[in-house]
Amino acid sequence: MPAADRRPLMKMPGYVVRTLEKIEQNGYEAYVVGGCVRDAMLGRRVHDWDITTSAPAWETEKLFPHSVLTGERFGTVTVLTGGRQIEVTTYRTDGEYTDSRHPEGVVFVSDIRTDLERRDFTMNAMAVDLRGELLDPFGGREDIADRLIRCVGSPERRFTEDALRMLRAVRFSAQLGFGIERETMDALRRCAHLVSALSAERVRDETEKTIMSQRPEKLYTALEARLYEPFCGTAEIPETAEKLLAALGDLPRSRQARWCGLCAVLTEENVISCAADFLRQFRLDARTVSAAAKGCRIVVNGMPEERMELKRILAAEWRDTAFSAAAVADALHGGCRVKTLNEIAGSGECIRRSDLAVSGNDLRKELGIPQGVHMGDILQQLFEHVLAFPKDNTRKRLLKLAEKLADD
Ligand code: ATP
Ligand code: MG
């Protein structure tokens, strides 16, 4: 083997190496596995180092004083080491799947190959030991080199076992810029209807990762393959949706902005008719539903570009709703609304009623206007005036104006 091939595949942090060492020193096998191997191979930042081991969970727990059995059913122990957390899971295989969602139970096994076999894609079914030795029984390294997402084993069987894998395939293709291998894609189309068995939260999490990625247009693959029929209904997905979804890649990485953008695209393409109803199905928090749906309405109604109009929107809406809508409208229809909003927000001009130079109390004390509907009307008129004439936001001018309004 040439020297270059013997070089360790990846640099593991010290706490990971020490954890692997300790398990091995106690007579068990241990490997880093799954997403961390994939990401390290790709030169991406690894966010979680997961370990798979022949040690039963109760042994792992004994080896590490700072550890907690976090997933007894799955044989997972969370080890706290060097201020970091690392999940150590016993080799296992999944039991029978009967509902396209979760296995009936898990079975612990003695060899790592069986553990790798239960994993979803070849790129996620690799393991590396302390010495950098790679176990790659399904050709994950080659698929990574070819930038391909391929199921381990029969794609149709794997998607029938757990329908979430279809959404994971789309999500990884968006995050990594990989294609979905042909047989895997064909099976995805055939098994699309199984998504209806999944919980809304699981679909939401994968969808959010897809639209938060650099390539939200990969969601088109899923829409076109009818994975989202339980959420969007049977409406045709026009090809133009792909380009519009791609434009969402320029949005800020804010959840609200991205959900707002998705709703705007689906509404403009006549795939959905009510953004709030669409979003609620995913059990998103009420604030995100409200802000994204409102932002969507602003965009699809044709968000103006004029400064004064944008200022009115900023005054009337939550700040993040206005900014999300502006970013989506700019991305989909061109323009520089975000820039204008930033300029307005930084100008110090009055955009909230609380920024007015006079309060209700001032009107009562200085002009004898009683508390009530009339007072509310006057304050609102003062506010509208100041939105249009920011320089008039002084106590003197507003009292004078209020006096006139009170007399009318
Ligand atoms: P990331 O954490 O970056 O989103 P990941 O691949 O680490 O990606 P996790 O959900 O953390 O994803 O799962 C860890 C590993 O567990 C995966 O790499 C894969 O080997 C396996 N896995 C996760 N979900 C499934 C699933 N639904 N079916 C089969 N294997 C899975
Ligand atoms: Mg992970």
Side-chain angles (χ1 to χ4, degrees):
M1 190 190 282
D5 287 351
R6 264 186 274 117
R7 262 199 321 239
L9 275 164
M10 60 192 63
K11 216 173 139 36
M12 298 176 204
Y15 72 94
V16 176
V17 173
R18 285 190 293 277
T19 308
L20 292 172
E21 266 169 2
K22 181 118 181 222
I23 302 175
E24 279 201 3
Q25 281 159 6
N26 283 274
Y28 294 103
E29 298 166 7
Y31 296 83
V32 289
V33 70
C36 59
V37 177
R38 176 199 71 221
D39 286 342
M41 223 178 235
L42 278 164
R44 286 166 60 92
R45 197 179 63 82
V46 172
H47 55 88
D48 292 310
W49 290 90
D50 295 325
I51 290 180
T52 186
T53 178
S54 58
W58 57 270
E59 281 284 9
T60 307
E61 221 187 346
K62 267 204 315 205
L63 291 179
F64 299 95
H66 301 289
S67 64
V68 198
L69 188 59
T70 40
E72 191 168 12
R73 213 165 84 81
F74 298 105
T76 302
V77 175
T78 302
V79 174
L80 305 166
T81 160
R84 312 293 290 264
Q85 287 192 8
I86 180 159
E87 288 201 341
V88 182
T89 303
T90 310
Y91 297 158
R92 65 158 209 255
T93 181
D94 293 326
E96 279 293 296
Y97 286 83
T98 50
D99 58 0
S100 302
R101 263 188 305 190
H102 22 58
E104 292 288 288
V106 306
V107 180
F108 298 111
V109 294
S110 59
D111 76 305
I112 186 166
R113 199 197 134 97
T114 313
D115 181 275
L116 294 176
E117 210 168 7
R118 75 169 165 91
R119 295 172 185 272
D120 47 6
F121 306 114
T122 58
M123 65 180 183
N124 289 343
M126 296 184 285
V128 174
D129 74 2
L130 197 52
R131 290 157 293 279
E133 180 89 24
L134 172 73
L135 295 188
D136 177 19
F138 310 106
R141 194 181 192 177
E142 206 178 317
D143 283 337
I144 285 184
D146 294 340
R147 307 181 72 76
L148 274 183
I149 296 166
R150 181 198 307 270
C151 279
V152 171
S154 146
E156 187 144 357
R157 213 190 76 218
R158 305 312 308 282
F159 291 155
T160 309
E161 286 171 356
D162 180 1
L164 191 76
R165 292 172 186 153
M166 296 187 277
L167 294 163
R168 281 172 60 88
V170 173
R171 184 258 285 198
F172 285 123
S173 83
Q175 288 178 328
L176 307 174
F178 282 19
I180 299 177
E181 177 272 333
R182 219 198 65 222
E183 281 182 31
T184 299
M185 190 63 215
D186 288 347
L188 189 148
R189 287 180 200 288
R190 286 196 299 276
C191 298
H193 61 281
L194 297 174
V195 165
S196 60
L198 296 172
S199 77
E201 289 84 352
R202 292 180 90 195
V203 180
R204 174 196 63 208
D205 293 347
E206 292 303 324
T207 307
E208 191 164 286
K209 286 179 188 170
T210 305
I211 59 176
M212 293 290 282
S213 76
Q214 276 180 306
R215 301 171 194 82
E217 69 273 20
K218 296 286 183 183
L219 198 77
Y220 177 76
T221 313
L223 288 163
E224 185 261 331
R226 306 229 155 266
L227 286 186
Y228 282 88
E229 225 169 72
F231 300 88
C232 295
T234 51
E236 270 309 305
I237 315 292
E239 275 175 32
T240 42
E242 186 170 13
K243 214 169 140 207
L244 294 178
L245 287 168
L248 304 182
D250 293 335
L251 294 180
R253 292 262 163 105
S254 115
R255 295 177 53 250
Q256 275 179 20
R258 299 278 172 136
W259 281 107
C260 171
L262 174 62
C263 289
V265 170
L266 295 179
T267 308
E268 290 190 358
E269 295 290 72
N270 296 315
V271 178
I272 62 169
S273 56
C274 175
D277 287 350
F278 171 72
L279 293 169
R280 266 193 287 269
Q281 302 176 94
F282 295 98
R283 311 244 164 84
L284 283 155
D285 60 288
R287 170 85 204 231
T288 303
V289 171
S290 174
K294 255 195 164 163
C296 170
R297 197 174 330 131
I298 295 171
V299 174
V300 300
N301 285 341
M303 190 171 191
E305 290 192 72
E306 304 79 43
R307 189 179 191 280
M308 189 56 216
E309 294 287 310
L310 288 172
K311 194 165 155 187
R312 281 187 195 288
I313 292 173
L314 193 57
E317 305 293 343
W318 285 325
R319 191 188 154 92
D320 41 4
T321 304
F323 272 90
S324 292
V328 172
D330 285 354
L332 296 182
H333 306 306
C336 43
R337 298 168 189 82
V338 172
K339 196 168 154 238
T340 309
L341 279 183
N342 271 319
E343 188 272 307
I344 296 168
S347 69
E349 290 173 22
C350 166
I351 46 165
R352 298 270 168 248
R353 260 184 51 171
S354 54
D355 299 336
L356 274 181
V358 292
S359 65
N361 247 344
D362 295 329
L363 299 191
R364 191 168 48 79
K365 280 197 202 140
E366 300 288 330
L367 305 174
I369 301 172
Q371 208 85 32
V373 181
H374 189 49
M375 157 98 74
D377 279 350
I378 293 178
L379 281 170
Q380 184 58 28
Q381 289 184 61
L382 292 180
F383 179 55
E384 305 244 339
H385 176 87
V386 163
L387 280 181
F389 304 100
K391 288 212 175 78
D392 283 357
N393 193 21
T394 66
R395 191 179 155 83
K396 202 169 146 204
R397 291 199 80 121
L398 291 187
L399 283 176
K400 211 162 165 197
L401 194 58
E403 196 170 11
K404 214 167 137 259
L405 289 167
D407 287 345
D408 284 350

